[in-house]
Amino acid sequence: DTGHFTYDQGFVATASCKSAITYIDGDEGVLLYRGYPIEQLAKHSNFLEVAHLLINGELPTADEFKAFEHEVTHHTMMHESLKTFMQGFHYDAHPMAMLCGVIGSLAAFYHDKLDIDDPEHRRLAAIRLIAKMPTIAAAAYRYSIGWPIRFPRNNLDYCHRFLHMMFEVPSEPLDLPPVAAKALDLLFILHADHEQNASTSTVRLVGSTGANPYACIAAGIAALWGPAHGGANEAVLTMLQEIGDAKNVAQAVERAKDKDSGFRLMGFGHRVYKNFDPRATIIREMCHKVLNELGVSDPLLDIAMELEQVALKDEYFVQRKLYPNVDFYSGIIYKALGIPTSMFTVMFAIARTAGWVAHWLEQSADPTVKIGRPRQVYTGPVSRDYVSIDKR
Ligand code: SDX
């Protein structure tokens, strides 16, 4: 009994860790970051404030936020030799491949000076990762389209700075409607953490060996890339496009019910939520607001709405409690902001870095945590003697 939440012994025995960061009630569709409901943070907070909350456990005072924002801003630059490193990628490398490689390589820049047992060194590594992720992400995008990499403009806030690094060209100042950065900030808040999802559990497992934080976060990026996880947001757009081309939503729903098809409705279903994903509800509303304010009408949104309506009335989805998840609508907003599909999972990684480093810090500070060692059910042959090759 943790005072507010009780777990039966069986659950505790199978749990991979204890954490005070995020709480999910999948049946009730509840998501709390350090006890604050996601709906309230989405309405009142901003991404950097949420990052501070996840890392430190409390919402910052005005002075604490100013100091945190100043420190993040101070670390947004990336070393010039990282650009040389990036130029080793083929020009059309997937941005997630570049992000994974470059973040892992940060260990070569900072690791040898990092004393993992020093809490201040650990905190600084976390700040560096939150600060540099957007710079490296935008650089990966611009490299992939052959544009020169832009320096971070540190007079801008976190989201405006990222959008400028992504899209700014010298000839014309970037004229972004206010809703763009607001929508991005909201998406970052909603994607910042989610308890022991596959990528966060990966970060904790790698961290439990004492590996440096840059290697841990690179491992998290690798796990997030899969289409069953963060890669789903990119897969949703492809799926909606295909459904739009076929002009047949009902057929897609039938295909998703046919096990032999190997086709699933991307952006639907969740390991934990057996009710609406509260983030999907917020993003769906934001979708309409962003498209209206940008004056964009996207047929993919109409297809997504129709797909949701058809699926939610279908016994197959109702019986299996399959609802839209965080990835179902997010891509439509990213697309409206001009972000290419190949960068959707990178956007997820920028936001989830706050959660990943919060979990890494929480675990690194706990001396009782042992190296992770998942167990298996062995299904191979019993012990047998070696047979020389001429007798096989
Ligand atoms: C994220 O863990 C997190 O918190 C992740 C995340 C985060 O913030 O970190 O929330 C982010 O990763 C969201 C999920 C994004 N992935 C997708 O949208 C991919 C599509 N969804 C599915 O692959 C699936 O729903 C999962 C992987 C998300 C969850 O799978 P589960 O809970 O393990 O479900 P399952 O594979 O055991 O399926 C249960 C049943 C099966 O049918 P039966 O064998 O019982 O007959 O539901 C069916 C599945 O075939 N099913 C689907 C389906 N998802 C599950 N059928 C059609 N379409 C789907 N999307």
Side-chain angles (χ1 to χ4, degrees), residues 42-65:
K43 195 162 174 212
H44 303 297
S45 189
N46 63 68
F47 174 66
L48 267 195
E49 183 178 76
V50 164
H52 181 284
L53 171 66
L54 291 170
I55 289 174
N56 299 296
E58 294 300 335
L59 288 168
T61 62
D63 289 345
E64 288 167 339
F65 180 72

Side-chain angles (χ1 to χ4, degrees), residues 250-301:
Q251 182 194 54
V253 170
E254 288 313 307
R255 226 178 110 214
K257 291 155 60 178
D258 168 13
K259 292 277 176 289
D260 300 335
S261 74
F263 171 73
R264 285 189 166 190
L265 288 189
M266 300 316 279
F268 257 78
H270 200 276
R271 288 309 301 270
V272 177
Y273 289 124
K274 300 307 172 193
N275 191 324
F276 251 85
D277 180 335
R279 303 167 297 175
T281 309
I282 298 168
I283 294 179
R284 187 201 301 124
E285 282 157 35
M286 172 54 81
C287 245
H288 290 290
K289 187 168 179 300
V290 169
L291 268 60
N292 289 341
E293 291 200 24
L294 291 176
V296 169
S297 72
D298 188 343
L300 296 186
L301 177 57

Side-chain angles (χ1 to χ4, degrees), residues 310-327:
V310 172
L312 292 187
K313 290 194 188 90
D314 188 294
E315 196 40 39
Y316 173 95
F317 291 87
V318 172
Q319 228 176 26
R320 292 167 180 79
K321 299 183 179 178
L322 300 175
Y323 295 92
N325 59 49
V326 68
D327 295 308

